[in-house]
């Protein structure tokens, strides 16, 4: 059976993860698992896990922590039924000594007894909420990747983790600005309210048409550039730490959880 | 100069901490530091700090983590100006091998290089918000301690930490129930929305007139008992872990931070 996007959109999170686990779907997860939290992934050795958790606690807007595994246990027990972090993400990036090395579709052979998996909320959740209140986003309408920039905003460091905050930019009609701020503020696990709007230079962005990651997006007359803390921030912090082996999701290829995206308490009773 | 309660109420958080640091005030902090977050305190050895942080992440309603120190560093740098956790809490409880041992007014001689301090949001914040929307609470009107119960609700364990959730009870006029739920939900760092309302037996409370901690409070005709996750939960989890030495605040004697109680991001740039 070929897997077209429309079919995938109607699968439950658990059905979707089953396909991913079987290696039958290795694509991006934008728009899938309707209504549930999707998450960025970072897998680190236990020796730096406390520092990384402090980094997330101190930087809750770029790094909203949604789940943490036991050391050496690949099951994300508070995030959904039978989530095996070694197989249930469509694609992974491997970093060795702080540099990107390769992408893979499972990490069964890489998982080790000293590893801790961290799941960090992602912007898909508030983008979905913006769509529901009638705010259209250019990168979604045009099927491109949201533009992301290394800003001048410093994160609060913890141990080897630190560096500048990465922000994503969405150009919003001025009339929608308040609605957009209020709506995204309701989703603290999806980066919450914007960190800046207006002149990109005020947060150190020299050319809003040349993103550091993702694709450029135009800013039509009457629109305001709005910047959110971005889940690429922890990836940059991790690269900076230059650890021997770190595993993340491949951008856009998220962990689809069973957590309702509007949940007040994002933690499920382990099954 | 004698320190009466009215004088204390008008001090800034930093002025108040300065008095506490100097040993000039060792009383409770209810109603003080108007408009800022107050916090429960737990000081643990680094060897179990990752597990304790996981416990907080998995149980965000009883254990909303507001700040974490560096290992061995007594300054809570993201919570306010010059907060020295060894001196800036009015009174501390010392637990040895899982049992309460003594109360002290500073921990300068007990602080050690392997210690990590955790600050956990407390209910004073949402009680203040309820007062602002016109909801009166019996225990505040009568200057007693809110009744607290060991419920049948299980926390999600992490390492040596686990056990039942402790809940606090406030009897609310039925007409105010929705307002109370909506108002407290806005303060996730102060335990958020209630975990239960109505029949206490449904969460394992046999006699609502006999609290496990605090003072009884009557439930007049037309009132509904409402239960919130309580910051005593981590103390119970810590006692259960039976560690050689753990330090907490003395109940009611909180850390008064500089964090505005309605802050979206509860983390201050370290000064």
């Amino acid at each position: 059976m070929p897997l077209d996007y429309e079919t995938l959109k109607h699968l439950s999170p658990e059905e979707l993860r089953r396909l991913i686990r079987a290696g039958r779907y290795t694509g991006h997860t934008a728009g899938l698992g309707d209504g549930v939290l999707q998450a960025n992934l970072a897998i680190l050795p236990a020796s730096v896990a406390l520092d990384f958790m402090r980094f997330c606690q101190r930087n809750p807007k770029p790094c909203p922590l949604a789940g943490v595994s036991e050391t050496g246990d690949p099951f994300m027990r508070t995030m959904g039924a039978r989530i095996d972090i070694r197989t249930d993400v469509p694609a992974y990036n491997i970093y060795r000594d702080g540099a990107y090395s390769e992408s893979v579709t499972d990490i069964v052979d890489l998982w080790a007894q000293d590893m801790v998996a961290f799941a960090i909320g992602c912007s898909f959740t508030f983008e979905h909420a913006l769509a529901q209140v009638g705010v259209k986003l250019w990168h979604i309408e045009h099927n491109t990747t949201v533009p992301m920039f290394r800003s001048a905003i410093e994160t609060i460091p913890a141990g080897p983790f630190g560096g500048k905050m990465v922000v994503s930019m969405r150009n919003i009609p001025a009339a929608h600005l308040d609605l957009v701020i209020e709506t995204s503020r309701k989703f603290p696990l999806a980066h919450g309210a914007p960190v800046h709007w207006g002149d990109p230079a005020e947060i150190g962005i020299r050319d809003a048409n040349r993103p550091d990651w993702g694709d450029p997006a135009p800013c039509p007359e009457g629109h305001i550039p709005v910047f959110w803390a971005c889940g690429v921030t922890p990836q940059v912090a991790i690269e900076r730490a230059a650890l021997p082996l770190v595993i993340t999701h491949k951008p856009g290829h998220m962990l689809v959880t069973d957590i309702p995206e509007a949940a007040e308490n994002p933690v499920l009773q382990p099954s």
Side-chain angles (χ1 to χ4, degrees), chain A residues 39-50:
Chain A
N40 299 282
L41 174 67
I43 298 177
L44 299 164
S47 58
V48 295
L50 179 60

Side-chain angles (χ1 to χ4, degrees), chain A residues 36-60:
Chain A
V36 298
L37 196 73
Q38 296 199 24
N40 299 282
L41 174 67
I43 298 177
L44 299 164
S47 58
V48 295
L50 179 60
D51 280 329
F52 189 69
M53 243 180 135
R54 283 185 179 115
F55 183 74
C56 293
Q57 194 276 325
R58 291 173 191 175
N59 300 280

Side-chain angles (χ1 to χ4, degrees), chain A residues 113-128:
Chain A
Q113 283 308 307
D114 75 328
M115 286 181 174
V116 182
F118 295 89
I120 292 168
C122 95
S123 59
F124 288 167
T125 296
F126 83 76
E127 290 186 339
H128 184 225

Side-chain angles (χ1 to χ4, degrees), chain A residues 205-260:
Chain A
I205 296 169
R206 272 186 254 178
D207 185 347
N209 294 312
R210 294 183 57 193
D212 295 308
W213 298 267
D215 303 306
C219 192
E221 185 70 27
H223 284 57
I224 296 174
V226 181
F227 298 89
W228 277 265
C230 176
V232 173
T233 309
Q235 292 208 20
V236 168
I238 285 168
E239 283 177 57
R240 187 171 178 265
L243 301 164
L245 173 65
V246 168
I247 303 167
T248 71
H249 68 292
K250 183 174 169 181
H253 299 60
M254 303 305 199
L255 172 65
V256 177
T257 75
D258 290 344
I259 301 167

Side-chain angles (χ1 to χ4, degrees), chain A residues 1-29 32-33 81-84 86-92 105-106 254-256 258:
Chain A
M1 184 185 74
L3 290 167
D4 63 274
Y5 190 68
E6 281 307 307
T7 307
L8 291 167
K9 269 172 79 172
H10 292 96
L11 296 179
S12 73
E14 198 175 350
E15 289 167 336
L16 185 60
R17 287 197 303 271
R18 204 176 301 139
L19 283 178
I20 293 168
R21 194 177 304 149
R24 294 187 54 209
Y25 184 68
T26 59
H28 73 74
T29 55
L32 304 184
R82 290 175 288 282
I83 294 182
D84 184 337
R86 299 170 299 183
T87 52
D88 288 11
V89 170
Y92 302 79
T105 57
D106 75 69
M254 303 305 199
L255 172 65
V256 177
D258 290 344

